[in-house]
């Protein structure tokens, strides 16, 4: 805070902060002082996040190195006068860019929520008058008048507080309103504990007060978080890293092959210009033009499918990142819980009574009395058809409990009309209401258990009041402590009968019992977390709430089957993953719950788990979650309860706030990666075969069996449509029972490249054999022989789609043969290949004369050889896997018999 030097505002007494800010409390600032301070501190607003421009979206679509290589091939084609080929390559590039651009454009527009927070009016005292001003005009030193319902528009030090409470969940994650007072606090007090401050972006839930502005704009706590969000650079997704890595390898492979081919051709006496053309053909053959297109279409399809399941994706690559997630860091309030208080239990003299909503009449006089007090000593209102519930969350919960659990409780306020109220007194920590009852009056009291217990002389029993002795008071205190350790919030309920309405409401009371509240767990959370754990994904809770409350929710949610490991924020103050003590780092990595955590600590925790090799998904809904959401590999915001700030920072927004939706989205991400791997194997085996066909033919002194434009046509026809069909597969039913794949695992590893090599060689042999037989056995002209080679290669690549099924799948009925899109793609591609051979104009452009009946038969027969070879390879690998499983099973059985299961 720029105005106050020395101690922090919360550490100064009221008189000291007023003096430090040089203001007359009764008069307020003058016009000249306001103008001078605004010039010094600026307007009270947060720095607006720049919306992503159309140009940046367009540039993002062309960052792939594969696209750059294609662009270079297009330029070479134009340089050599091959206009059709150059235009075709440019069409591929533009088509891919258009798909990505229009898909992402729908999701990336910023709503500038942080700026909107300041667009409200604030009541201030200036020049001796109370006036309402635009919140953007506030300056340090302004005296602000507070009342219930006000949105706080700057950081304020309280000068006066009457029954004042503030909802700070947006900032701290604390699920309950915080009671406020004016007493100074130690300098090092954390933000959630600063009871003499209220902060920009929070709201007053009850009471009234007066405060002085200590910080505005980016100097506020919410401004500091906004700055953290800006500093937290979004991570490049795992898929983008993998595709970029694959692209770089393809570039070097392509350049190496092209240079080698040019050198070999020149050494064999070919003209340099012809060899450069051939090298360009090799480059076009080696680059899978369909890879960026199919990857983009596949991700877009997954994005739309997730949107139908209430998960809105803001960035295409985030679709696959969900499937790679190994760690979920989840917020508690509003994410795991309902973010509203509920009565869960009543503690009476002879035992506990769990609340059973909608239960019939039980004749339990204690419960009936407790419900009546909760309804009477209450200023809240429940939701109706026209309005939402209003009031303090605990009072709403008490009212709801009374209305739901007892049919006659609805009549309490009509039967016992209120004649007086004693508002909540922070000094006493109690509230009382007085109600007419026959010839006398009924007093209803609620408050902090220790405060109410101290003024009670009796305890309520069905047969009558019984005096409270010291031993009984200790039992009540012990029961209160045990419930608090469970993470429950407690209020004590008491009553008395009197002949007048003006007696001391807090004397001679009878304790009825204690009522226990909890922000309840969302119903879908335990099953969702079980599904996540079964998929091998770690889940840890990060919350600004108290450790006991967080631990209770964590156990209910099933975060830890054994002992729960909880770390409090005070242990992580100043935590830096780079310099942290190794023991603390180990404890952090194994923790299940992080309680009372500050926003910058959340950011450090995300970095810590990322450094440990995790792909981190962070869920949240508040302003305090935004920096960590942006920094994580996949930021997930809640759509219903989430703030606009959180949604802007996130990659995924769950429209229904359901954890089950998150797990469904993760499954879809895994399916997409498996599908991407399938079509990469398919595309690469097709493209490598094209390189080998051209390279081996030229190296052997044969005419070129394929021309660059023919290769490009094949890449766009036999590559794109079958590959896209593979990308639309529904996936394996057991995909969520597997552990997450290694985040460092490439799309195509050693096993995949070995399969690519085998399939490529098979397609190459079939194509070159048909070309040689067409030239020297059938005696066809060179152009017709090229048509035979073209048709053989095209058909072999189409049948190759059946070679990318899973190794363990059956031959005839599997995820590929059961995919209707695959059959549709094969039919479409067959028609396009026929058009290339016999459609006037297109066949001339591609230089594909009719090969005749014999040529067609030769191509059709030899095109089946790679399919047969591929199925033999898959059968061999399946038998290898089965043999390995049969070998290890007896060993595992012996181990389990003698040493027990692992």
């Amino acid at each position: 805070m720029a105005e106050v030097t020395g101690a922090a505002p919360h550490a100064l007494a009221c008189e000291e902060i007023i003096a430090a800010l040089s203001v007359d409390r009764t008069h307020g600032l003058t016009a000249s002082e306001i103008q001078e301070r605004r010039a010094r501190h600026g307007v009270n607003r947060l720095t607006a996040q720049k919306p992503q421009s159309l140009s940046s979206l367009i540039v993002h679509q062309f960052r792939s190195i594969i696209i750059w290589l294609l662009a270079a091939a297009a330029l070479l084609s134009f340089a050599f006068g091959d206009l059709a080929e150059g235009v075709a390559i440019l069409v591929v590039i533009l088509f891919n860019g258009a798909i990505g651009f229009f898909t992402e454009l729908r999701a990336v527009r910023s709503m500038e929520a942080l700026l909107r927070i300041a667009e409200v009016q604030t009541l201030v005292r200036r020049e001796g008058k109370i006036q309402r001003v635009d919140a953007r005009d506030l300056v340090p030193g302004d005296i602000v008048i507070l009342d219930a319902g006000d949105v706080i528009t700057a950081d304020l030090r309280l000068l006066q507080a009457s029954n004042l409470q503030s909802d700070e969940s947006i900032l701290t994650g604390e699920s309950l309103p915080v009671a406020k007072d004016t007493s100074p606090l130690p300098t090092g007090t954390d933000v959630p504990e600063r009871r003499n401050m209220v902060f920009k972006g929070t709201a007053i839930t009850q009471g009234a007060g007066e405060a002085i502005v200590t910080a505005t704009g980016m100097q506020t706590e919410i401004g500091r978080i906004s700055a953290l969000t800006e500093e937290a650079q979004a991570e490049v997704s795992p898929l983008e890293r993998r595709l970029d890595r694959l692209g770089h390898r393809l570039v070097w492979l392509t350049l190496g092959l092209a240079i080698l081919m040019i050198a070999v051709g020149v050494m064999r006496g070919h003209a340099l210009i012809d060899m450069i053309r051939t090298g360009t053909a090799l480059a076009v053959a080696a680059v899978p033009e369909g890879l960026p297109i199919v990857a983009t279409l596949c991700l877009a399809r997954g994005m739309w499918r997730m949107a139908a399941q209430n998960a809105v994706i803001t960035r295409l690559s985030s679709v696959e990142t969900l499937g790679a997630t190994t760690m979920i860091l989840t917020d508690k309030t509003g994410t795991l819980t309902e973010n509203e208080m509920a009565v869960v239990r009543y503690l009476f003299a002879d035992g506990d009574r769990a609340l059973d909503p909608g239960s019939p009449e039980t004749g339990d006089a204690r419960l009936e009395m407790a419900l009546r007090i909760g309804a009477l000593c209450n200023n809240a209102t429940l939701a109706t058809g026209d309005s939402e519930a209003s009031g303090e969350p605990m009072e709403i919960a008490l009212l709801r409990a009374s209305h739901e659990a007892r049919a006659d409780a609805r009549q309490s306020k009509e039967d016992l009309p209120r004649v007086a109220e004693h508002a909540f007194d922070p000094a006493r920590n109690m509230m009382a209401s007085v109600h007419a009852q026959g010839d006398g009056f009924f007093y209803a009291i609620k408050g902090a258990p220790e405060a109410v217990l101290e003024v009670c002389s009796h305890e309520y029993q069905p047969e009558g009041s019984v005096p409270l002795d010291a031993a009984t008071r200790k039992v009540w205190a012990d029961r209160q402590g045990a419930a608090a350790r469970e993470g429950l919030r407690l209020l004590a309920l008491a009553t008395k009968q009197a002949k007048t309405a003006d007696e001391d409401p807090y004397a001679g009371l009878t304790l009825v019992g204690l009522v226990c509240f909890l922000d309840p767990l969302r119903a879908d959370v335990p099953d969702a977390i079980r599904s996540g754990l079964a998929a091998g994904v770690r889940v840890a809770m990060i919350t600004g709430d108290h450790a006991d409350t967080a631990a209770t929710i964590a156990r209910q949610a099933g975060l830890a089957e054994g002992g729960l490991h909880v770390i409090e924020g005070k242990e992580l103050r100043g935590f830096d993953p780079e310099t942290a003590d190794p023991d603390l780092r180990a404890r952090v990595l194994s923790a299940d719950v992080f309680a009372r955590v500050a926003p910058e600590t959340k950011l450090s925790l995300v970095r810590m788990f990322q450094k440990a090799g995790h792909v981190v998904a962070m869920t949240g809904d508040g302003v305090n979650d935004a920096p960590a959401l942006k920094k994580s590999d996949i930021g997930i915001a809640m759509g219903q309860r989430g703030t606009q700030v959180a949604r802007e920072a996130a990659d995924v927004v769950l429209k229904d706030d359901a954890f089950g939706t998150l797990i469904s989205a993760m499954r879809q991400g895994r399916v997409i990666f498996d599908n991407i791997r399938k079509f990469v194997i398919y595309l690469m085996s097709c493209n490598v075969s094209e390189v080998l066909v051209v390279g081996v033919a030229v190296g052997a002194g044969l005419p070129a069996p394929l021309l660059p434009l023919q290769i490009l046509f094949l890449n766009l026809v036999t590559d794109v449509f079958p590959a896209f069909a593979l990308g639309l597969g529904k996936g394996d039913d057991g995909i969520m029972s597997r552990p997450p794949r290694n985040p460092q695992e490439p799309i195509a590893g050693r096993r995949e490249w070995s399969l690519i090599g085998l399939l490529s060689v098979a397609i190459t042999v079939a194509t070159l054999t048909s070309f040689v037989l067409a030239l020297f056995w059938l005696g066809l002209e060179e152009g017709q022989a090229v048509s035979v080679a073209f048709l053989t290669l095209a058909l072999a690549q189409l049948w190759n789609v059946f070679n990318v099924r899973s190794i363990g799948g059956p031959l005839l009925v599997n995820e590929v043969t059961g995919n209707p899109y695959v059959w549709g793609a094969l039919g479409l591609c067959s028609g396009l290949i026929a058009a290339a051979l016999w459609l006037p104009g297109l066949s001339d452009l591609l230089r594909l004369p009719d090969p005749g009946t014999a040529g067609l038969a030769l191509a059709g027969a030899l095109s089946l050889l790679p399919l047969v070879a591929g199925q033999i390879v898959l059968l061999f690998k399946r038998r290898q896997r089965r043999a390995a499983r049969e070998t290890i099973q007896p060993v595992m059985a012996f181990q389990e018999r003698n040493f027990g299961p692992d």
Side-chain angles (χ1 to χ4, degrees), residues 175 333-334 337-342 393 396-397 400 518-520 641:
S175 56
T333 305
T337 67
E338 297 283 0
N339 197 22
E340 61 181 28
M341 287 280 103
I396 294 174
R400 187 179 290 120
L518 187 67
D519 183 3
R641 291 178 174 84

Side-chain angles (χ1 to χ4, degrees), residues 121-142:
Q121 297 282 305
T122 299
L123 201 62
V124 299
R125 182 183 295 118
R126 287 178 173 177
E127 298 187 316
K129 300 175 183 177
I130 302 296
Q131 50 188 290
R132 194 168 292 277
V133 301
D134 193 312
R136 289 175 294 187
D137 293 334
L138 288 179
V139 294
D142 259 325

Side-chain angles (χ1 to χ4, degrees), residues 870-888:
Q871 295 304 311
I872 291 173
V873 169
L874 290 173
L875 180 62
F876 176 72
K877 286 181 175 291
R878 183 180 182 184
R879 288 181 175 176
Q880 272 189 325
R881 180 177 291 183
R882 184 181 299 168
R885 194 180 297 123
E886 291 173 353
T887 300
I888 199 171

Side-chain angles (χ1 to χ4, degrees), residues 805 809-814 817 871 878:
R805 64 177 174 85
L811 176 62
L812 297 177
V813 181
N814 51 63
T817 59
Q871 295 304 311
R878 183 180 182 184

Side-chain angles (χ1 to χ4, degrees), residues 156-349:
L156 313 175
R157 169 65 163 89
L158 291 171
L159 304 175
Q160 178 184 329
S162 175
N163 191 23
L164 193 69
Q165 293 189 8
S166 172
D167 178 2
E168 297 180 351
S169 60
I170 190 176
L171 184 66
T172 66
E174 172 69 62
S175 56
L176 281 178
V178 180
K180 297 293 183 176
D181 59 46
T182 61
S183 303
L185 297 166
T187 302
T189 303
D190 290 334
V191 170
E193 307 296 339
R194 294 179 189 174
R195 303 303 171 99
N196 59 9
M197 299 281 297
V198 286
F199 302 98
K200 184 179 179 72
T202 63
I204 302 299
T205 58
Q206 73 174 41
E210 192 173 293
I212 187 169
V213 175
T214 59
T216 57
M218 296 301 290
Q219 299 301 313
T220 61
E221 287 297 321
I222 201 172
R224 186 173 58 84
I225 294 173
S226 174
L228 283 175
T229 306
E230 289 296 314
E231 293 168 8
Q233 297 298 316
E235 291 292 300
V236 177
S237 77
L239 178 64
E240 288 176 321
R241 287 195 293 266
R242 293 186 184 99
L243 287 176
D244 189 59
R245 214 158 37 228
L246 179 61
H248 278 82
R249 290 175 180 171
L250 287 175
V251 166
W252 291 113
L253 175 65
T254 301
L255 292 176
L257 286 172
I259 292 171
L260 178 63
M261 187 54 55
I262 292 171
V264 170
V266 171
M267 289 173 61
R268 294 185 65 87
H270 293 283
L272 177 61
I273 190 68
D274 291 338
M275 284 300 94
I276 293 177
R277 289 176 184 270
T278 303
T280 304
L282 271 178
V284 173
V287 177
E289 289 87 352
L291 181 58
I293 296 174
V294 175
T296 302
L297 286 171
C298 184
L299 292 172
R301 170 73 174 177
M303 181 176 177
W304 299 329
R305 190 177 292 170
M306 288 183 187
Q309 298 175 356
N310 291 319
V312 177
I313 311 296
T314 64
R315 191 172 61 157
L316 273 181
S317 55
S318 302
V319 175
E320 186 273 339
T321 308
L322 270 171
T325 299
T326 62
M327 181 81 196
I328 298 176
L329 299 175
T330 176
D331 186 37
K332 178 186 75 70
T333 305
T335 304
L336 297 183
T337 67
E338 297 283 0
N339 197 22
E340 61 181 28
M341 287 280 103
V343 175
V344 294
R345 190 189 310 165
Y346 287 91
L347 308 185
F348 297 121

Side-chain angles (χ1 to χ4, degrees), residues 43-49 111-122 133-138 149-155 167-171 198-203 215-218 220-227 229 621-626 642-648:
V43 177
N44 178 32
R45 65 182 177 194
L46 303 176
T47 302
Q49 298 183 19
M111 292 171 282
E112 297 178 311
L114 289 171
L115 184 61
R116 285 198 198 73
I117 288 176
E119 294 177 0
V120 293
Q121 297 282 305
T122 299
V133 301
D134 193 312
R136 289 175 294 187
D137 293 334
L138 288 179
D150 287 350
V151 173
I152 307 303
T153 54
D155 283 1
D167 178 2
E168 297 180 351
S169 60
I170 190 176
L171 184 66
V198 286
F199 302 98
K200 184 179 179 72
T202 63
T216 57
M218 296 301 290
T220 61
E221 287 297 321
I222 201 172
R224 186 173 58 84
I225 294 173
S226 174
T229 306
D621 58 2
V623 174
N624 59 320
D625 298 317
T643 61
Q644 294 285 55
V645 180
R647 290 198 287 269
E648 284 183 13

Side-chain angles (χ1 to χ4, degrees), residues 286-634:
V287 177
E289 289 87 352
L291 181 58
I293 296 174
V294 175
T296 302
L297 286 171
C298 184
L299 292 172
R301 170 73 174 177
M303 181 176 177
W304 299 329
R305 190 177 292 170
M306 288 183 187
Q309 298 175 356
N310 291 319
V312 177
I313 311 296
T314 64
R315 191 172 61 157
L316 273 181
S317 55
S318 302
V319 175
E320 186 273 339
T321 308
L322 270 171
T325 299
T326 62
M327 181 81 196
I328 298 176
L329 299 175
T330 176
D331 186 37
K332 178 186 75 70
T333 305
T335 304
L336 297 183
T337 67
E338 297 283 0
N339 197 22
E340 61 181 28
M341 287 280 103
V343 175
V344 294
R345 190 189 310 165
Y346 287 91
L347 308 185
F348 297 121
D350 60 347
D352 298 356
R353 170 69 185 269
L355 186 66
D356 184 12
S359 63
E361 176 68 41
T362 63
D364 188 333
R366 294 163 304 173
L367 179 60
E368 186 174 338
M369 180 63 74
L371 291 168
R372 180 176 296 129
I373 293 171
L376 293 174
C377 190
N378 198 311
N379 291 319
T381 59
L382 292 180
T384 64
D386 300 327
S387 61
E388 297 182 353
S390 64
E392 201 271 335
M394 280 187 171
E395 291 196 339
I396 294 174
L398 285 169
L399 205 56
R400 187 179 290 120
S402 295
H403 281 224
E404 291 180 353
R406 304 290 297 173
D408 60 353
R410 295 187 178 92
Q411 303 300 320
S412 294
K413 291 189 177 182
E414 287 78 6
D415 295 342
L416 301 171
R418 180 183 290 189
V419 297
E421 176 188 340
H422 298 268
F424 178 81
D425 184 350
R428 291 177 177 267
N429 270 334
M430 289 182 287
M431 170 188 175
S433 60
V434 185
H435 305 265
Q437 185 181 43
D439 295 333
F441 296 90
F442 178 88
Y443 283 66
I445 296 91
K446 75 174 190 292
E450 60 277 7
V452 175
L453 191 60
E454 184 179 348
V455 296
C456 285
S457 58
H458 292 72
E459 72 175 3
Y460 185 80
Q461 296 281 4
E463 61 275 9
S465 295
V466 177
L468 270 174
D469 56 24
T472 307
R473 291 179 187 276
K474 185 177 186 309
V475 170
W476 277 109
D478 291 343
R479 294 176 70 189
Q480 172 199 342
R485 285 191 292 274
E486 292 181 40
L488 299 173
R489 311 276 182 163
L490 291 95
L491 282 178
L493 305 175
T495 185
K496 75 174 181 178
Q497 303 283 343
K499 292 185 178 181
T500 65
D502 55 1
E503 289 192 12
D504 182 355
Y506 305 122
L509 299 180
T510 297
L511 178 67
V512 175
L514 304 181
V515 55
C516 303
F517 302 83
L518 187 67
D519 183 3
L521 192 72
R522 291 174 60 89
D524 63 305
V525 165
D527 286 342
I529 287 182
R530 274 193 295 272
S531 298
L533 295 176
V537 180
R538 271 205 67 203
V539 183
M541 178 199 297
I542 301 182
T543 178
D545 222 328
H546 290 281
D548 288 338
T549 305
T552 299
I553 292 296
R555 291 190 186 95
Q556 292 177 354
L559 284 187
E561 296 180 358
L564 196 71
H565 184 190
V566 181
I567 294 181
E568 291 198 64
K570 60 186 178 183
E571 298 182 61
L572 299 173
R573 193 171 295 159
F575 178 74
D576 185 345
E578 301 292 335
T579 59
D581 177 75
D583 291 338
L584 176 59
R585 200 158 46 224
R587 289 179 57 224
V588 167
L589 290 173
S590 63
D592 303 297
V593 176
F594 300 93
R596 308 298 280 172
V597 171
E600 58 268 28
T601 305
K602 291 185 180 183
L603 202 56
S604 296
L605 290 173
V606 168
R607 291 193 182 108
M608 178 73 169
F609 283 103
Q610 286 175 332
K611 186 180 178 184
H614 283 286
V615 175
V616 178
M618 171 78 189
T619 75
D621 58 2
V623 174
N624 59 320
D625 298 317
L629 287 173
K630 187 173 180 181
K631 176 62 181 174
S632 61
D633 296 287
I634 186 83

